[in-house]
Amino acid sequence: MANLTDEKLVEVKSINKWFGDLQALDDVSLDVQSGKVMVIIGPSGSGKSTLLRCINYLETPTNGQVWFNGERLTSDQRELNRHRAEIGMVFQSFNLYAHLTILENITLALKVVKKIKQKDAESIAIEQLKKVGIADKADKLPSQISGGQQQRAAIARALAMRPKLMLFDEPTSALDPEMIKEVLDVMMMLAKEGITMIIVTHEMGFARAAADEVIFMDNGRIVEKNTPDGLFNQPTSDRTKLFLSQILHK
């Protein structure tokens, strides 16, 4: 019989997170099967981004456990670095190095972390830039391209590391409305390719279309989780119903 963790890429077991007197996460548990897409929704301050950051130990849970790829994460830096090499994260802000070209932004981690030679790193980078539709921007600086293109470059940078898991923390929230679709289209493509993703977003249409499971959080807790159809069309919690009525009928 297979070990339970063999079937799941991510397991979060009863984690709590305190910032001083503020409890950001309250006994949160979830698991994500390999190849699945989980979307996390909820009001601002509900703990969504903190949960995402705890999954790759950018924030250390106050207590509880996080398992990735069958191994429990700890604060051991060497072990964390090994796991993080297999976890791509895309933030609200693009976090690109302003003084490096888009190509150099992508090849940097390949050379430093994975010890890949310059020529091979550039080949991988171009492949990923083609995938996200901006290969023609390889020699541009971040300031020379649009916000949507910068976020696609950030996605390409994460994909270049060949991660087992992709984390997205509200990746379109800093974008102008006309640029949101180009980023969501790339993420939809990744979902169809079977890349395991956990996504925090306010884009409900994307959540409906891309997710295998949707989680609604409020006050640091998971209030409800279901399929997109179940959560959006037949929510069981009054809190979920109120949130969706406010979001979907603006």
Side-chain angles (χ1 to χ4, degrees), residues 39-208:
V39 173
I40 305 172
I41 63 172
S44 297
S46 60
K48 307 183 301 294
S49 294
T50 301
L51 173 58
L52 211 62
R53 292 172 69 85
C54 282
I55 287 173
N56 68 354
Y57 263 57
L58 285 177
E59 296 286 353
T60 304
T62 305
N63 51 50
Q65 300 177 8
V66 178
W67 291 68
F68 172 68
N69 203 28
E71 295 183 49
R72 182 179 173 182
L73 299 190
T74 69
S75 297
D76 181 278
Q77 198 59 50
R78 183 175 293 183
E79 287 297 299
L80 268 184
N81 289 342
R82 181 170 65 85
H83 287 301
R84 283 181 182 153
E86 297 186 319
I87 302 174
M89 186 153 186
V90 178
F91 299 87
Q92 297 177 34
S93 53
F94 320 124
N95 288 13
L96 298 170
Y97 292 107
H99 64 291
L100 299 180
T101 66
I102 297 305
L103 185 69
E104 290 167 340
N105 264 280
I106 298 173
T107 59
L108 183 62
L110 291 170
K111 293 186 293 182
V112 173
V113 177
K114 295 212 166 182
K115 311 299 182 189
I116 294 175
K117 294 177 181 176
Q118 176 76 27
K119 185 178 179 182
D120 294 334
E122 289 182 357
S123 176
I124 292 169
I126 291 295
E127 176 190 348
Q128 297 305 327
L129 287 171
K130 285 179 180 175
K131 187 170 197 166
V132 301
I134 54 169
D136 59 325
K137 308 299 182 187
D139 295 326
K140 300 286 188 184
L141 293 171
S143 61
Q144 296 174 313
I145 63 177
S146 72
Q149 291 166 342
Q150 288 183 62
Q151 192 61 294
R152 283 191 277 163
I155 294 172
R157 178 178 59 184
L159 290 173
M161 298 293 285
R162 299 286 193 264
K164 286 186 167 73
L165 172 68
M166 287 284 288
L167 305 176
F168 292 87
D169 187 6
E170 300 192 23
T172 59
S173 65
L175 298 178
D176 294 332
E178 66 269 21
M179 296 176 187
I180 290 173
K181 184 179 184 298
E182 67 190 60
V183 174
L184 293 179
D185 284 347
V186 168
M187 293 168 64
M188 184 66 74
M189 173 187 70
L190 301 180
K192 290 177 180 176
E193 289 182 1
I195 293 177
T196 312
M197 297 192 283
I198 305 175
I199 303 163
V200 171
T201 186
H202 292 293
E203 299 295 331
M204 298 300 142
F206 172 80
R208 282 179 186 266

